[in-house]
C-alpha cells in the first residue's frame, strides 16, 4: 500500500468570489467527520490547521462547533495549548539571547497562568477552545492541553510537571479513556500522542527544563525533568495507515487522519522495538 504524504496548498481566505462547491458549512463538516469515523460519545485530541479546511462559513467557530456537534454532549474535544515560549531563555536559538542580558530576560518573563497565558503556534482553534465556557486547561507551564465536554476534567484535571507527555499527562489520560486522535489538516509529525512511546522505550535521554510559573507571591521558576522526545509522528501514522489502523479522508478540504490512541501506541511501540 502506497501512502501519499503530500498536503494540499491552503486556500487563501480573502477571495473576490467563490464557487458553490467550495463553500463549506457546519453540516458538511459534521458529515465529513462522521465519514472519517468520529461519532457521538468519542473522546478526541485534535491537532488542526484551520487554513487547510477551506472556505468555511462562520470561520473557526463553525469548525469547533462541528467537532462538538459530532462528539455530542457526552463526548469530549481536547487540543494542545502549548506555551513553548515559557522556557529557559538560555536555550533559545531563534533568536539567541546575549549572555549579558540573560538575567534581565528571565526576570521580565511572565509566569504561566492557566487562564491568561495564550498558546503559541498552535493555531486559532485551540485558542477558541481555550476561551469556551466550561473548558478545562491542564496546568503545565509549557505543554498544557485544553478539553471541553463530559470527560474534560478526567483528561486535563491532572498533569505532572515532570515528563510532560508521559502517562500522568492528558495524553496518558486520553489513552487510558479509549480516546482518539484527529489530525485535521495538521502535518503528521505534530501528533503529540506518539511522545508516549518515548516514555516506554529503553535508553531514554533525560533532560532538565525550567519555566516561569505565576504564583500568589509572584513569578517563580520551576525546574523539572523531561525526556528528549523523538518526532516520529509522520512515520508512525504512515505505518498505521498501511496496517489499516487509521482512517484518512477529507474534512472540508483538509487532508485528515483519525485513529484510536491506545492501539496506535501499542503498535508503534512494537514497531519501534523491531
Amino acid at each position: 500500500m502506497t501512502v501519499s504524504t503530500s498536503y494540499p496548498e491552503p486556500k487563501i481566505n480573502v477571495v473576490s468570489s467563490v464557487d458553490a462547491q467550495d463553500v463549506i458549512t457546519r453540516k458538511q463538516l459534521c458529515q465529513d467527520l462522521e465519514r472519517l469515523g468520529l461519532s457521538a460519545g468519542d473522546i478526541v485530541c485534535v491537532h488542526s490547521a484551520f487554513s487547510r479546511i477551506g472556505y468555511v462559513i462562520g470561520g473557526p467557530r463553525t469548525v469547533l462547533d462541528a467537532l462538538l456537534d459530532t462528539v455530542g454532549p457526552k463526548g469530549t474535544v481536547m487540543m494542545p495549548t502549548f506555551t513553548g515560549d515559557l522556557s529557559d531563555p538560555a536555550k533559545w536559538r531563534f533568536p539567541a539571547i546575549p549572555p549579558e542580558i540573560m538575567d534581565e530576560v528571565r526576570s521580565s518573563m511572565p509566569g504561566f497562568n492557566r487562564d491568561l497565558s495564550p498558546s503559541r503556534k498552535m493555531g486559532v482553534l485551540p485558542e477558541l477552545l481555550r476561551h469556551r465556557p466550561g473548558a478545562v486547561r491542564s496546568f503545565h507551564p509549557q505543554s498544557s492541553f485544553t478539553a471541553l465536554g463530559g470527560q474534560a476534567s478526567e483528561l486535563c484535571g491532572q498533569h505532572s510537571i515532570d515528563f510532560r507527555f508521559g502517562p500522568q499527562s492528558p495524553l496518558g489520560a486520553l489513552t487510558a479513556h479509549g480516546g482518539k486522535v484527529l489530525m485535521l489538516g495538521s502535518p503528521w509529525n505534530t501528533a503529540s500522542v506518539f511522545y508516549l512511546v518515548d516514555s516506554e522505550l529503553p535508553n531514554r535521554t533525560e533532560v532538565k527544563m525550567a519555566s516561569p510559573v505565576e504564583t500568589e507571591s509572584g513569578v517563580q521558576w520551576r525546574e523539572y525533568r523531561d525526556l528528549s522526545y523523538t518526532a516520529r509522528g509522520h512515520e508512525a501514522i504512515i505505518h498505521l495507515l498501511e496496517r489499516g489502523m487509521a482512517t484518512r479522508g477529507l474534512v472540508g478540504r483538509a487532508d485528515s487522519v483519525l485513529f484510536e490512541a491506545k492501539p496506535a501506541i501499542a503498535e508503534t511501540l512494537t514497531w519501534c522495538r523491531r
Side-chain angles (χ1 to χ4, degrees):
M1 175 181 178
T2 301
V3 180
S4 171
T5 59
S6 62
Y7 294 93
E9 288 299 319
K11 289 180 177 291
I12 299 174
N13 288 330
V14 180
V15 294
S16 58
S17 63
V18 62
D19 293 332
Q21 65 267 24
D22 293 327
V23 174
I24 299 167
T25 64
R26 179 169 170 174
K27 179 180 179 181
Q28 180 187 338
L29 290 171
C30 290
Q31 291 172 341
D32 290 348
L33 289 165
E34 290 171 359
R35 192 177 298 113
L36 196 63
L38 197 65
S39 57
D42 278 349
I43 299 170
V44 61
C45 179
V46 182
H47 291 265
S48 59
F50 172 73
S51 65
R52 296 190 181 277
I53 300 174
Y55 189 84
V56 181
I57 302 301
R61 177 180 173 180
T62 293
V63 178
L64 181 55
D65 286 341
L67 286 164
L68 294 168
D69 287 347
T70 305
V71 301
K74 294 184 179 180
T76 305
V77 173
M78 182 172 83
M79 297 183 186
T81 46
F82 300 165
T83 46
D85 51 325
L86 299 183
S87 59
D88 186 352
K91 298 181 180 181
W92 294 355
R93 294 295 178 265
F94 304 103
I97 301 298
E100 61 269 23
I101 62 169
M102 195 68 68
D103 289 342
E104 181 182 353
V105 170
R106 280 199 183 96
S107 63
S108 66
M109 289 175 62
F112 176 73
N113 181 298
R114 193 162 16 200
D115 297 321
L116 301 180
S117 296
S119 60
R120 181 172 184 265
K121 294 186 177 181
M122 293 290 103
V124 64
L125 287 173
E127 278 296 281
L128 197 60
L129 178 68
R130 186 174 71 82
H131 285 88
R132 277 290 178 102
V136 178
R137 188 181 193 181
S138 70
F139 195 92
H140 195 282
Q142 271 205 50
S143 300
S144 66
F145 288 80
T146 297
L148 179 62
Q151 303 296 316
S153 294
E154 284 81 353
L155 293 179
C156 294
Q158 300 292 328
H159 195 161
S160 172
I161 192 169
D162 291 320
F163 308 112
R164 55 197 160 133
F165 297 122
Q168 305 306 313
S169 73
L171 293 176
L174 175 82
T175 304
H177 283 78
K180 298 178 179 179
V181 176
L182 171 63
M183 307 303 295
L184 182 55
S186 182
W188 298 349
N189 60 1
T190 63
S192 58
V193 71
F194 293 110
Y195 292 142
L196 281 167
V197 173
D198 293 275
S199 301
E200 302 294 333
L201 291 174
N203 303 318
R204 304 175 304 174
T205 301
E206 286 198 17
V207 295
K208 291 183 178 179
M209 303 182 69
S211 295
V213 176
E214 186 176 305
T215 69
E216 293 183 356
S217 58
V219 176
Q220 297 181 358
W221 278 83
R222 293 278 304 275
E223 294 185 348
Y224 50 100
R225 300 163 61 201
D226 214 329
L227 299 177
S228 178
Y229 294 101
T230 305
R232 59 169 53 87
H234 191 95
E235 291 184 351
I237 290 178
I238 292 175
H239 178 72
L240 294 176
L241 286 166
E242 292 174 339
R243 297 276 292 176
M245 298 179 67
T247 305
R248 186 178 185 183
L250 291 177
V251 177
R253 300 292 177 266
D255 184 21
S256 302
V257 176
L258 181 72
F259 57 89
E260 295 183 22
K262 188 172 184 177
I265 294 303
E267 173 62 26
T268 303
L269 269 170
T270 301
W271 172 60
C272 289
R273 285 167 177 160
R274 292 197 192 109

